[in-house]
Amino acid sequence: MIEQRLQAQFAASIAAKQATQAQALPALARAAQALASALADGYKVLACGNGGSAADAQHFAAELTGRYERERPGLPGIALSVDTSALTAIGNDYGFDRVFAKQVDALGRSGDWLLAISTSGNSTNVIKAIEAAQARGLHVIALTGKSGGAIAKLLRTTDIELRAVSEVTARIQEVHILFLHCLCDAIDELLYPAP
């Protein structure tokens, strides 16, 4: 009985990835090229999200600064969810809604990218981070799910939405990690092609 349930989880994950691939591939390629170009020009990527999305932001930043699958110089990626002193000070003084936006104001500069992750597209602190990024001249890649939420409506034509085709949070998160691995692989290949 439990094996059937587990098999259904695999099937649902595969279906969500296939549905997303059919819609998201052009935007994913555009995001990869944009990030590679920015990183080559000395810009950085700031990443944020809540809960599992915070873990994904940290994962992506670690893949940039360390390595993904091939040896290469470190690339500047910063997860905005890892500094507990900043998070607690900003949360205490300005409210949890501003924990990422204040860091974007402090660390971001025009030409940098914000990788904003929200499975619902409605996380208030991620929305405020996007607004701060746009005000400072950063570009935005938003990883969303479901309808894209408020974030989808907030993005400019120069921003990029990578939306998982699913209504289920677990499936959205599984697609998001695939998006991030695709971006890492593409960045490596674009900047440091395999011989």
Side-chain angles (χ1 to χ4, degrees):
M1 183 68 168
I2 196 67
E3 285 189 12
Q4 290 175 333
R5 189 172 182 87
L6 297 173
Q7 186 176 23
Q9 294 288 312
F10 273 87
S13 184
I14 291 164
K17 289 171 182 164
Q18 288 176 325
T20 302
Q21 179 188 17
Q23 291 185 14
L25 217 51
L28 186 57
R30 191 171 138 230
Q33 290 166 340
L35 287 178
S37 178
L39 290 164
D41 289 340
Y43 295 104
K44 65 184 168 297
V45 181
L46 306 176
C48 67
N50 297 291
S53 298
D56 289 344
Q58 290 174 231
H59 182 159
F60 185 69
E63 301 286 20
L64 289 180
T65 58
R67 68 168 182 211
Y68 179 58
E69 289 187 333
R70 65 180 68 162
E71 289 299 329
R72 55 148 170 82
L75 300 168
I78 302 170
L80 302 180
S81 56
V82 298
D83 185 339
T84 54
S85 293
L87 292 173
T88 56
I90 295 165
N92 184 63
D93 295 348
Y94 299 94
F96 188 68
D97 289 354
R98 301 281 303 155
V99 294
F100 301 136
K102 288 290 287 181
Q103 292 182 81
V104 170
D105 286 340
L107 301 171
R109 66 181 175 116
S110 182
D112 289 341
W113 282 81
L114 175 68
L115 181 78
I117 310 173
S118 172
T119 57
S120 67
N122 291 315
S123 301
T124 304
N125 58 4
V126 177
I127 290 169
K128 291 196 178 301
I130 291 170
E131 291 170 344
Q134 291 172 336
R136 290 191 61 80
L138 281 75
H139 306 287
V140 177
I141 294 173
L143 274 60
T144 66
K146 302 181 182 179
S147 69
I151 288 174
K153 297 176 181 75
L154 184 63
L155 299 177
R156 304 165 302 190
T157 56
T158 54
D159 298 327
I160 302 168
E161 182 187 14
L162 300 177
R163 187 184 303 176
V165 179
S166 180
E167 296 292 320
V168 178
T169 299
R171 302 293 82 83
I172 295 166
Q173 290 173 324
E174 290 159 5
V175 173
H176 283 181
I177 198 66
L178 180 58
F179 280 152
L180 297 177
H181 284 164
C182 287
L183 291 173
C184 290
D185 178 76
I187 288 166
D188 279 5
E189 184 60 26
L190 289 165
L191 296 183
Y192 303 98

